[in-house]
Amino acid sequence: MNNRVIELNTRPSLTGYGSCAGKTESEGPISQDFDICFTNDGMNQSSWEKAECELLSNAVGIALKTANKSFGDIDVAFAGDLLNQCTPSSYSFRNKNIPFCGLFGACSTMAYSLLLASLCVDGRYCETAVAATSSHFCSAEKQFRYPVEYGSQRSPTSQRTVTGAGAFVIERNKKERVLIPRVLIGKVIDLGVTDSANMGAAMAPAAAESISEFLSATDTVPKDYDMILTGDLGKVGSIILKDYLIDKKGYDISTVHNDCGLIIYDLERQDVDSGGSGCGCSAAVLSSHIMKRMNNKELKKVMFVGTGALMSPLISLQGESIPGIAHIVELNI
Amino acid sequence: MNNRVIELNTRPSLTGYGSCAGKTESEGPISQDFDICFTNDGMNQSSWEKAECELLSNAVGIALKTANKSFGDIDVAFAGDLLNQCTPSSYSFRNKNIPFCGLFGACSTMAYSLLLASLCVDGRYCETAVAATSSHFCSAEKQFRYPVEYGSQRSPTSQRTVTGAGAFVIERNKKERVLIPRVLIGKVIDLGVTDSANMGAAMAPAAAESISEFLSATDTVPKDYDMILTGDLGKVGSIILKDYLIDKKGYDISTVHNDCGLIIYDLERQDVDSGGSGCGCSAAVLSSHIMKRMNNKELKKVMFVGTGALMSPLISLQGESIPGIAHIVELNI
């Protein structure tokens, strides 16, 4: 296939969306846009893992409600998350009587699940699909670094895993909604970054490859988009991405670029180092703040670039570097 | 969608396939059918995780070769495995310059990756796709139970994770090959099994639901298939599946049923408890023994039912039961 960009002729629509956020996220600059703000990150559950499941289930519930759907109307759900064996996703859809596709795309999962759901809807393999993902600061720290109770010090290049979730309902032929006209599936790119406290640097080359490929294949330039939205490179990764795209590919995205990890927190005021990350970061930002701005017509054309660091603590300890991936979903209204 | 079975009008073809197996598998009854038999499960790598990566990379290499393709001809790869963050899959496709979709479907991944790859090919979103998966006894024991070096005792209901891998190349319009006419996406079903040493019992209800739904929706009966092949319920799970299908759904599959976990080992002669499991079990059996028998026309119509236990050791320790899933790919020649 010479042209990697996939055109979706039916332009599937986002007919429902829901977002949930944790305490720190609810104290950030876009808190008023979230559907549910939890004031306690335990969410009245007995473990951080079950708390994350609660986040995801709530986001899916709101997405269904806004689309005026029930579980019985959903033909297939695409979901994944950061936890080993993707437990929040599997357990959120357990016994819900819905065909289920489990995904692993690390922090790229919101874009990735939207991409596969929109292919299935466009290809008429289903009428109504759900795409959803979540992350939780405490479950992710426990699994990837140290339990938060240890109080270990964080590096200034590190990103804070967002406690949050987002979910979408995707259907055909609802033209007044936000539409998905084109998508691009990312490649696994590894330029040798080994610092697991600097995920932005590990993901930036994959984002650069996907963005330049998308621009080139669609014969567009950065200013054709109201926003090129990466999720989530944070402060350090965003700088690397912009420099890399100018130096290596000749594209200057600086006037239209933003990053979900920079939108969700106030980096000056909140103690979040290089910004937000985690599947729930781009999921919660897209399904709240960005959808609101698109529905208001403030943003009409957004290139949403979901970035993921396919990092395993075990394989990192074995000396391996961290591969990145970036999936693109174009959103128009 | 009233009919959950998805018809693939172009009937995508399996134009290439490759299989690799470890030492115990190479001493089993179908060893002559594998493309590569490793005599040392370390595969000359420095860790079990890297050994599994080697298995998967080799299977993909053979699949490409038999399809007369190189990496540059592949439009998209679908792959996943059992390890946390699906490292063998991500690292096998790292810097291979191929769009990559990471999946988590536990032991159902061979059927699941074939299913999504065939949808993408059928929908003309790509010309050539790869579906691949792997597992390794030692990497899986280390992650899910105890490192094998501890020599812990195993339960008679437990299944042995297969050291093996399988990969397929999927294309359109190659009519003389094995074709995929219909698929079904599984649901996450959990009837409350909590014994992580009895995965067959955890997966059997999901297999029963998918099989009965497939038979009912296609208006077929078990004897319309030369084989209903589950992967991998093992001895205990296969008995539960057959009893459950007769008692609850009225289907007797006993004359046509077989299970990849029973095919790959000789349960009388080899010390494998209830049989084989792991993504690599159904992958290695399908991509070797079953493909050989289909190409010989011994088997013309196979219902391949990939079963997965979406088990997390962490969430099990928190008292949760184990959900199962079963994806179906019909294979005809």
Side-chain angles (χ1 to χ4, degrees), chain A residues 103-117:
Chain A
L103 307 178
F104 183 71
C107 306
S108 74
T109 306
M110 191 70 261
Y112 177 33
S113 59
L114 274 175
L115 190 164
L116 289 182

Side-chain angles (χ1 to χ4, degrees), chain A residues 14-72:
Chain A
L14 303 179
T15 58
Y17 44 95
S19 57
C20 292
K23 184 169 181 294
T24 308
E25 295 68 26
S26 303
E27 294 163 359
I30 60 162
S31 61
Q32 73 288 352
D33 297 334
F34 298 129
D35 292 307
I36 299 181
C37 290
F38 285 90
T39 52
N40 179 333
D41 283 352
M43 286 113 201
N44 295 321
Q45 300 298 311
S46 57
S47 72
W48 300 125
E49 292 73 23
K50 291 181 185 179
E52 184 174 338
C53 200
E54 191 69 11
L55 276 173
L56 184 55
S57 298
N58 271 284
V60 171
I62 299 160
L64 292 177
K65 198 171 167 191
T66 57
N68 203 19
K69 300 280 177 191
S70 66
F71 277 111

Side-chain angles (χ1 to χ4, degrees), chain A residues 69-194:
Chain A
K69 300 280 177 191
S70 66
F71 277 111
D73 301 317
I74 305 303
D75 299 319
V76 59
F78 290 87
D81 53 79
L82 288 173
L83 295 193
N84 297 342
Q85 293 84 47
C86 299
T87 39
S89 301
S90 304
Y91 283 78
S92 290
F93 288 95
R94 173 170 64 165
N95 295 336
K96 289 290 191 295
N97 207 27
I98 298 178
F100 175 78
C101 291
L103 307 178
F104 183 71
C107 306
S108 74
T109 306
M110 191 70 261
Y112 177 33
S113 59
L114 274 175
L115 190 164
L116 289 182
S118 63
L119 287 189
C120 263
V121 168
D122 181 69
R124 297 176 192 280
Y125 299 116
C126 68
E127 298 298 319
T128 309
V130 160
T133 186
S134 63
S135 58
H136 193 298
F137 177 64
C138 300
S139 63
E141 285 296 299
K142 174 177 160 185
Q143 178 181 290
F144 288 107
R145 295 166 198 96
Y146 299 98
V148 285
E149 295 84 351
Y150 289 13
S152 67
Q153 202 161 7
R154 296 167 56 80
S155 150
T157 58
S158 72
Q159 293 172 245
R160 183 185 169 94
T161 302
V162 161
T163 300
F168 288 88
V169 175
I170 300 103
E171 297 179 82
R172 268 196 310 282
N173 305 322
K174 309 280 177 181
K175 296 303 179 197
E176 72 283 16
R177 313 301 180 97
V178 174
L179 309 170
I180 303 181
R182 297 184 284 211
V183 298
L184 174 141
I185 302 173
K187 296 177 176 177
V188 182
I189 291 177
D190 185 340
L191 297 191
V193 172
T194 53

Side-chain angles (χ1 to χ4, degrees), chain B residues 211-256:
Chain B
I211 293 170
S212 60
E213 182 69 25
F214 195 90
L215 292 171
S216 151
T218 57
D219 200 17
T220 56
V221 294
K223 70 175 188 332
D224 291 333
Y225 300 87
D226 297 323
M227 189 184 277
I228 294 179
L229 177 68
T230 49
D232 317 279
L233 298 175
K235 193 165 70 176
V236 175
S238 292
I239 293 167
I240 297 172
L241 170 68
K242 287 183 275 191
D243 287 352
Y244 191 99
L245 274 175
I246 289 180
D247 288 354
K248 304 278 182 188
K249 307 284 182 180
Y251 289 116
D252 181 0
I253 64 165
S254 55
T255 56
V256 293

Side-chain angles (χ1 to χ4, degrees), chain B residues 26-60:
Chain B
S26 303
E27 293 163 358
I30 61 163
S31 61
Q32 74 287 352
D33 297 334
F34 298 128
D35 292 307
I36 299 181
C37 289
F38 285 90
T39 52
N40 179 333
D41 283 352
M43 285 114 200
N44 295 321
Q45 300 299 310
S46 57
S47 71
W48 300 125
E49 293 73 23
K50 291 181 184 179
E52 183 174 337
C53 200
E54 192 68 11
L55 276 172
L56 184 56
S57 298
N58 272 283
V60 171

Side-chain angles (χ1 to χ4, degrees), chain B residues 4-25:
Chain B
R4 256 176 72 199
V5 173
I6 300 173
E7 302 260 356
L8 304 178
N9 294 326
T10 70
R11 300 158 64 93
S13 319
L14 303 179
T15 58
Y17 44 94
S19 57
C20 292
K23 185 169 182 293
T24 308
E25 295 68 26

